[in-house]
Amino acid sequence: MMKKTLNDLWNVLEDYRHLVSYGYKCDNREPYTPAAITTASKPQGGTVECVSGNETDSFEKIVKEIMQCRKCKLCGQRKNSVPGTGVLNPLVMVIGEGPGAEEDNQGLPFVGAAGQYLDKWLNAISLDRTTNCFIGNIVKCRPPGNRDPQPDETEQCIAYLKRQIALLKPKVILTVGRIASRVISGREDGIGRLRGSIYSYEGIPVVVTYHPSAVLRDSSHRPAVWEDLKMLRKKLDEIIECM
């Protein structure tokens, strides 16, 4: 009984620490042992590692690099970099273009009005950022005035996203907005022409749709988004059925 109580308490503390420090929650933790207290600075059970050549990459390593990154001019005006948030074994990874003002303030992606709208989209197809999704962006710092990320900024930042995808291994990727959809699909068309098809990124199916903020401005896009979400759910169900 005491061991279970300690384990439950440890898990609650770990969830809080990771949400504050990294913006994600640990899943599939290792069983609690008293010795684990001596390594409280290291995530337990939620650590994701990937071996490339002679180097081992980890999600915590990526987060630390993003927090310290000064590779492009976006770092000069940021309040917080925004590595991403969600679970470490997601069914779906949602990718936007870059943080906005509220995201820059909090250090978390999609937390403003567009983020709340995105949550409703995900919930409509039985998805949630806290249980089975991870949400990130092409660039990890806010472009001034919420402008589009410039090519040199995307070029400097995209390696972080690629490493995240390689570690998280989502079953499906959902890109929202023109910039993210072009970068991940590798095509230069607008959303109107891109959406409706399933693309592939490193073998992962990619579904493209409008950005939530664009739909908040123009509600005529809502039927198209719903069709895209249903297509994503159908593809996801097919993958899960084959697992």
Side-chain angles (χ1 to χ4, degrees), residues 165-194:
I165 295 172
L167 286 164
L168 296 173
K169 297 180 175 62
K171 302 297 183 290
V172 182
I173 292 173
L174 173 66
T175 59
V176 294
R178 173 175 50 88
I179 301 298
S181 297
R182 284 181 172 179
V183 171
I184 300 301
S185 72
R187 298 170 181 262
E188 292 299 318
D189 296 318
I191 291 294
R193 292 179 63 88
L194 283 174

Side-chain angles (χ1 to χ4, degrees), residues 49-52 54-58 61:
E49 295 186 344
C50 178
V51 178
S52 177
N54 295 322
E55 296 185 2
T56 299
D57 203 1
S58 71
K61 181 179 179 181

Side-chain angles (χ1 to χ4, degrees), residues 4 14 46 50 58 75 107 120 123 157 187 217 225 231:
K4 182 180 185 304
E14 282 294 274
C50 178
S58 71
C75 70
K120 291 181 179 180
N123 292 340
C157 209
R187 298 170 181 262
R217 292 192 300 267
V225 170
M231 182 168 63

Side-chain angles (χ1 to χ4, degrees), residues 117-211:
Y117 197 26
L118 174 64
D119 287 339
K120 291 181 179 180
W121 293 5
L122 297 175
N123 292 340
I125 55 172
S126 301
L127 296 172
D128 187 279
R129 71 167 74 200
T130 64
T131 58
N132 51 25
C133 292
F134 187 92
I135 301 176
N137 285 300
I138 296 294
V139 297
K140 309 302 186 182
C141 299
R142 182 194 180 194
N146 293 348
R147 63 162 171 76
D148 291 345
Q150 295 176 351
D152 62 313
E153 296 161 354
T154 298
E155 182 179 353
Q156 292 296 328
C157 209
I158 194 65
Y160 295 129
L161 180 64
K162 289 181 177 180
R163 289 164 63 192
Q164 287 178 323
I165 295 172
L167 286 164
L168 296 173
K169 297 180 175 62
K171 302 297 183 290
V172 182
I173 292 173
L174 173 66
T175 59
V176 294
R178 173 175 50 88
I179 301 298
S181 297
R182 284 181 172 179
V183 171
I184 300 301
S185 72
R187 298 170 181 262
E188 292 299 318
D189 296 318
I191 291 294
R193 292 179 63 88
L194 283 174
R195 58 164 301 275
S197 298
I198 296 180
Y199 304 93
S200 178
Y201 177 85
E202 298 294 332
I204 302 171
V206 177
V207 175
V208 170
T209 197
Y210 292 96
H211 196 283

